[in-house]
Amino acid sequence: MVSPVTVVKSEGPKLVPFFKATCVYFVLWLPTSSPSWFSALIKCLPIFCLWVFLLAHGLNFLVTHRCAKRILAGLIFSAVGDAFLIWQEQGYFVHGLLMFAITHILYSSAFGMKPLDLRTGIFIGLISGALYTFLYTYLSGPFTYLVAVYTALIAFMGWRAVAGVQLWNDLWTWTKLSACIGSVLFIVSDLTIAVNKFCFPVPCSRAIIMATYYAAQMLIALSAVECQDENDYRKRK
């Protein structure tokens, strides 16, 4: 397994633009009450930097590794979803929801179906079912069904990410752990959005949503470099 020190040395510099762009977002902290294309750019900029992070590994890497391609595609749909959510009060919330639903499908596909780990799937299914039951009492109209479908998709994505981490079998890698933590943070971010929008105001909701969201996307993007790191490790061995 590739050591964490090696990971930091090889991948850290490529993530510097992402960290800078994230700092710019939190420093400017543009008001959500006046959406603009500039606000959309600042919000999407960290995700654009994650595109660059994956592209920095080479086009050949993206072409030959299905996982990396699908995570890059997921990041592209995420950026479009972010832009839609800038204008959510103008009626574009559902558009953003659709873009992120596609993102979760792509991420699930990237994480794969092996190992299956049905116990983890059932556990996550029960938790997501309980959370939807809580949200259901606050939902009305089309959102009753839209949120149900979205909850199922993000729960499935979380299952596939968590199932990849087999700590007890000593088969885990740092990238699988990265995908696992990233998926959990994504769920926390989206759950905060749902509770704040449909149920009741969450204190510091925007800070919680964006901090967990950016961290989630970074960790999921990091998980895409697993194939390259494993190949390099085999060569050194």
Side-chain angles (χ1 to χ4, degrees), residues 155-203:
F156 185 81
M157 184 273 292
W159 169 34
R160 296 323 311 147
V162 174
V165 182
Q166 300 182 71
L167 295 173
W168 54 91
N169 292 329
D170 199 27
L171 296 175
W172 65 279
T173 62
W174 71 266
T175 45
K176 290 185 183 300
L177 187 60
S178 177
C180 173
I181 298 172
S183 69
V184 171
L185 289 175
F186 216 135
I187 291 170
V188 171
S189 179
D190 281 359
L191 178 61
T192 306
I193 290 175
V195 172
N196 189 67
K197 182 174 182 63
F198 299 114
C199 305
F200 48 80
V202 176

Side-chain angles (χ1 to χ4, degrees), residues 7-8 11 15 18-19 22 46-47 50 53-54 57 67 71-72 75 107 110-111 157 161 165 173-188 210-226 229:
V7 172
V8 172
E11 305 300 336
L15 284 170
F18 165 79
F19 289 120
T22 302
I47 307 303
L50 291 177
F53 167 74
L54 289 180
H57 290 82
C67 168
I71 288 179
L72 177 59
L75 288 169
Y107 286 169
F111 298 149
M157 184 273 292
V165 182
T173 62
W174 71 266
T175 45
K176 290 185 183 300
L177 187 60
S178 177
C180 173
I181 298 172
S183 69
V184 171
L185 289 175
F186 216 135
I187 291 170
V188 171
M210 297 312 298
T212 52
Y213 170 69
Y214 286 141
Q217 293 284 40
M218 179 196 71
L219 291 168
I220 291 173
L222 271 171
S223 74
V225 305
E226 177 176 17
D229 288 333

Side-chain angles (χ1 to χ4, degrees), residues 96-102 104 145-156 186 190:
L97 197 69
L98 175 61
M99 293 299 103
F100 280 106
I102 295 171
H104 296 316
Y145 311 102
L146 291 172
V147 173
V149 173
Y150 188 86
T151 300
L153 288 174
I154 195 170
F156 185 81
F186 216 135
D190 281 359

Side-chain angles (χ1 to χ4, degrees), residues 5-230:
V5 175
T6 302
V7 172
V8 172
K9 288 182 178 178
S10 63
E11 305 300 336
K14 300 186 189 79
L15 284 170
V16 169
F18 165 79
F19 289 120
K20 288 183 176 179
T22 302
C23 288
V24 168
Y25 173 83
F26 282 104
V27 168
L28 291 180
W29 204 241
L30 298 171
T32 56
S33 57
S34 54
S36 66
W37 284 108
F38 180 69
S39 297
L41 173 63
I42 296 301
K43 185 181 181 184
C44 295
L45 193 58
I47 307 303
F48 295 158
C49 291
L50 291 177
W51 298 2
V52 175
F53 167 74
L54 289 180
L55 291 169
H57 290 82
L59 289 176
N60 185 59
F61 170 69
L62 291 173
V63 169
T64 56
H65 294 94
R66 183 186 64 180
C67 168
K69 279 190 294 189
R70 293 180 181 180
I71 288 179
L72 177 59
L75 288 169
I76 291 172
F77 277 99
S78 292
V80 178
D82 281 331
F84 276 130
L85 291 182
I86 287 288
W87 285 277
Q88 61 177 292
E89 298 302 327
Q90 285 71 38
Y92 289 95
F93 181 79
V94 173
H95 299 72
L97 197 69
L98 175 61
M99 293 299 103
F100 280 106
I102 295 171
T103 294
H104 296 316
I105 293 171
L106 288 165
Y107 286 169
S108 299
S109 178
F111 298 149
M113 292 301 296
K114 295 182 180 179
L116 189 60
D117 195 355
L118 284 175
R119 285 183 297 179
T120 297
I122 293 170
F123 178 71
I124 292 177
L126 290 173
I127 292 177
S128 61
L131 290 173
Y132 176 72
T133 300
F134 166 74
L135 292 171
Y136 179 80
T137 58
Y138 296 92
L139 299 173
S140 61
F143 282 114
T144 303
Y145 311 102
L146 291 172
V147 173
V149 173
Y150 188 86
T151 300
L153 288 174
I154 195 170
F156 185 81
M157 184 273 292
W159 169 34
R160 296 323 311 147
V162 174
V165 182
Q166 300 182 71
L167 295 173
W168 54 91
N169 292 329
D170 199 27
L171 296 175
W172 65 279
T173 62
W174 71 266
T175 45
K176 290 185 183 300
L177 187 60
S178 177
C180 173
I181 298 172
S183 69
V184 171
L185 289 175
F186 216 135
I187 291 170
V188 171
S189 179
D190 281 359
L191 178 61
T192 306
I193 290 175
V195 172
N196 189 67
K197 182 174 182 63
F198 299 114
C199 305
F200 48 80
V202 176
C204 304
S205 60
R206 185 181 171 196
I208 295 170
I209 290 165
M210 297 312 298
T212 52
Y213 170 69
Y214 286 141
Q217 293 284 40
M218 179 196 71
L219 291 168
I220 291 173
L222 271 171
S223 74
V225 305
E226 177 176 17
C227 298
Q228 186 178 62
D229 288 333
E230 287 183 346

